[in-house]
Amino acid sequence: MDILTRFELRKIMRRKSFFIGITLVIVVALLGVWALVSGAYITDKDGNDLKGLEAIPLRKEYNRQLAGPLTMEKIAAAVKHHQKVIHDPKNLNEKGELTNEAYVTYKEQSYQIDTLIRFAFSHSREYDHYIIDSMTPSTAKTFYQERLDKVQEYIDRDYTPGNASAKENAFFMRMNKSIPVPFQMDYVTGWENVFENLQFILLISAFVIAIWLAPVFAGEYQSGADAIILSSRYGRNKVIAAKLKAGLIVSLGLLAAGLGTYTLLMLGIFGFDGGSASVQMIKLFAPVPFTVFQTYLWAILIGSLACLIVGAVTLWLSSRMSTPFPVIIVIVILLIGPLFFPASKSSRLYNHIMNLFPGKMVDGITRVTEYEVYSVFGQLIPSYKFATGFAVIVIALLLPFTYRAFKNHQVV
């Protein structure tokens, strides 16, 4: 790292906002973990309610018993077991319903596979908890075809902004049919919880990045140091490049610290198991052939790029505004504003555009698992791939504009 870049890094890191920003991201990460840990709940076979840290090992034990390929035989066995339990009079109350004692004794351990079966066989717009009661083991063997049928129902749905075209429908079905079956089951609660609050960690990180980078150029205008910098030997080239590199380094550093703390702490408590499981264990109708870990990588890639877009826009505004404060105001509006606008019921184009704003893009798990495509020169591109390419292009375009804006600034 060259001397000028180190100097610019020290300028950023010596501000109070630097330490406050790091603290804020870490605190939000800790709160996100605490909320999910405290919300963990399960009842053991003795009828004891386990909460928080006590509940996690038992859930892990139950789900590990189901780990492995989600074969039709395993699904049929789960339905057969369910039918045996609900047809035993000893397990029913006066109303003919399963007693709490019977549930925790016989059904709690099969909660994961039962939930997948219910989702697959319920109607496309609802979750029918009792659908499994009327199923037979032979019916359960159609699990994967039922899933594809529900996907077809979903993409054929009556959608006000306009149904997907026949070409898009065929594209979605090809995506789903390319997913390897049987799915791989495993205990995935840790990863599921990581996805739960990931977007909030990224959203706070984007805000902190904006706070850090707003003074990079605008602060020089405000203090009058721009006259000195631009008249110096390297003021119109190497100093600007050093500022841009320093901004990129602190942004990536913050993302690594925030995401690393949140992910490792969450998985350290709930367990690292499940990374190789199919993402359909978390999102059954996800149209991608990814494992849970691959989906996580895509989610943090998209979310991190969204944060870097915020950083690039901040630097560009900083190079054009006289003080940092208006830069921060504009970024806050850009980042938070779109979150208050609901999805349009009349325009898919509007929804596609809104999803490319950083505040929406940080929800990487949705971008990966949603049924949305962008048409570019007749080619259909899944939402997560388009968002990635869009972010890279925006960042690549903004940095040269920022460079020229400060280089050509006229000192008054």
Side-chain angles (χ1 to χ4, degrees):
M1 187 185 302
D2 58 85
I3 295 176
L4 288 174
T5 302
R6 288 200 299 268
F7 176 72
E8 293 299 332
L9 278 174
R10 285 197 294 270
K11 287 172 66 176
I12 296 173
M13 295 170 66
R14 284 176 179 174
R15 300 189 187 106
K16 291 182 180 180
S17 61
F18 180 78
F19 299 100
I20 294 173
I22 290 179
T23 303
L24 179 61
V25 171
I26 299 300
V27 168
V28 170
L30 293 175
L31 288 175
V33 173
W34 174 82
L36 292 171
V37 171
S38 62
Y41 176 86
I42 196 172
T43 303
D44 65 17
K45 291 183 178 181
D46 296 325
N48 300 313
D49 293 333
L50 305 180
K51 300 178 181 179
L53 292 173
E54 290 184 339
I56 296 171
L58 186 58
R59 176 62 66 196
K60 188 184 301 184
E61 177 188 336
Y62 285 162
N63 288 5
R64 279 176 172 173
Q65 293 173 4
L66 297 169
L70 181 59
T71 61
M72 293 181 183
E73 291 75 18
K74 184 181 289 187
I75 297 168
V79 173
K80 183 178 180 180
H81 173 72
H82 180 81
Q83 294 295 328
K84 180 180 179 181
V85 171
I86 65 170
H87 287 103
D88 188 339
K90 296 178 182 178
N91 299 329
L92 306 178
N93 58 23
E94 321 72 67
K95 298 180 180 180
E97 300 172 340
L98 200 65
T99 64
N100 291 335
E101 293 77 10
Y103 180 84
V104 299
T105 302
Y106 301 111
K107 294 301 299 171
E108 186 73 75
Q109 56 267 46
S110 61
Y111 172 80
Q112 184 185 32
I113 193 169
D114 288 350
T115 300
L116 292 171
I117 293 170
R118 290 183 178 110
F119 268 117
F121 285 87
S122 296
H123 294 295
S124 60
R125 294 188 178 184
E126 63 183 40
Y127 174 77
D128 187 350
H129 179 81
Y130 298 101
I131 190 71
I132 194 173
D133 293 354
S134 59
M135 291 175 58
T136 64
S138 59
T139 304
K141 292 181 180 180
T142 63
F143 175 86
Y144 289 104
Q145 185 57 51
E146 284 289 332
R147 178 189 173 277
L148 287 176
D149 290 344
K150 295 303 180 297
V151 169
Q152 189 68 65
E153 288 178 24
Y154 178 77
I155 60 180
D156 286 341
R157 68 198 186 283
D158 181 16
Y159 184 48
T160 306
N163 291 332
S165 66
K167 184 178 180 180
E168 290 174 336
N169 286 352
F171 179 80
F172 289 135
M173 292 307 296
R174 284 198 302 273
M175 287 180 65
N176 277 278
K177 289 178 180 178
S178 70
I179 300 172
V181 294
F183 298 152
Q184 293 298 312
M185 289 191 71
D186 204 343
Y187 166 78
V188 294
T189 302
W191 290 101
E192 189 173 12
N193 287 338
V194 167
F195 290 130
E196 187 73 22
N197 289 324
L198 189 61
Q199 68 184 96
F200 300 110
I201 306 300
L202 289 163
L203 195 63
I204 294 298
S205 297
F207 174 72
V208 170
I209 288 171
I211 297 293
W212 286 356
L213 302 188
V216 168
F217 295 107
E220 310 292 13
Y221 302 150
Q222 187 178 39
S223 66
D226 57 321
I228 300 173
I229 293 172
L230 292 171
S231 62
S232 63
R233 182 178 180 182
Y234 299 117
R236 293 186 181 272
N237 45 61
K238 292 186 177 181
V239 170
I240 304 175
K243 287 179 177 292
L244 295 177
K245 285 190 287 185
L248 177 63
I249 290 170
V250 295
S251 298
L252 292 174
L254 178 67
L255 290 169
L259 293 173
T261 299
Y262 173 69
T263 302
L264 293 176
L265 188 56
M266 188 75 79
L267 295 180
I269 294 173
F270 283 92
F272 287 81
D273 311 54
S276 59
S278 302
V279 71
Q280 285 72 24
M281 295 302 99
I282 297 175
K283 300 278 189 177
L284 179 61
F285 299 108
V288 289
F290 298 152
T291 65
V292 171
F293 182 65
Q294 288 171 333
T295 304
Y296 169 77
L297 292 179
W298 271 107
I300 62 171
L301 173 63
I302 296 169
S304 297
L305 286 172
C307 292
L308 294 180
I309 286 179
V310 171
V313 173
T314 301
L315 288 170
W316 176 67
L317 291 173
S318 179
S319 70
R320 303 189 66 85
M321 294 185 175
S322 57
T323 62
F325 184 72
V327 175
I328 296 172
I329 296 300
V330 172
I331 290 297
V332 169
I333 294 173
L334 175 69
L335 188 61
I336 306 298
L339 301 180
F340 293 95
F341 291 89
S344 172
K345 294 183 179 181
S346 60
S347 173
R348 290 182 70 195
L349 177 60
Y350 170 83
N351 293 335
H352 284 173
I353 293 172
M354 292 300 290
N355 286 339
L356 295 176
F357 278 85
K360 297 274 192 177
M361 199 187 298
V362 292
D363 187 9
I365 181 65
T366 298
R367 299 289 81 80
V368 175
T369 60
E370 68 183 351
Y371 281 79
E372 287 293 351
V373 293
Y374 290 75
S375 180
V376 181
F377 303 117
Q379 297 296 315
L380 297 179
I381 304 174
S383 179
Y384 68 98
K385 290 184 178 180
F386 188 88
T388 301
F390 172 80
V392 171
I393 292 171
V394 169
I395 294 167
L397 289 176
L398 281 175
L399 293 180
F401 280 118
T402 303
Y403 184 97
R404 293 190 184 94
F406 188 74
K407 181 178 181 180
N408 298 327
H409 170 70
Q410 297 299 315
V411 179
V412 294

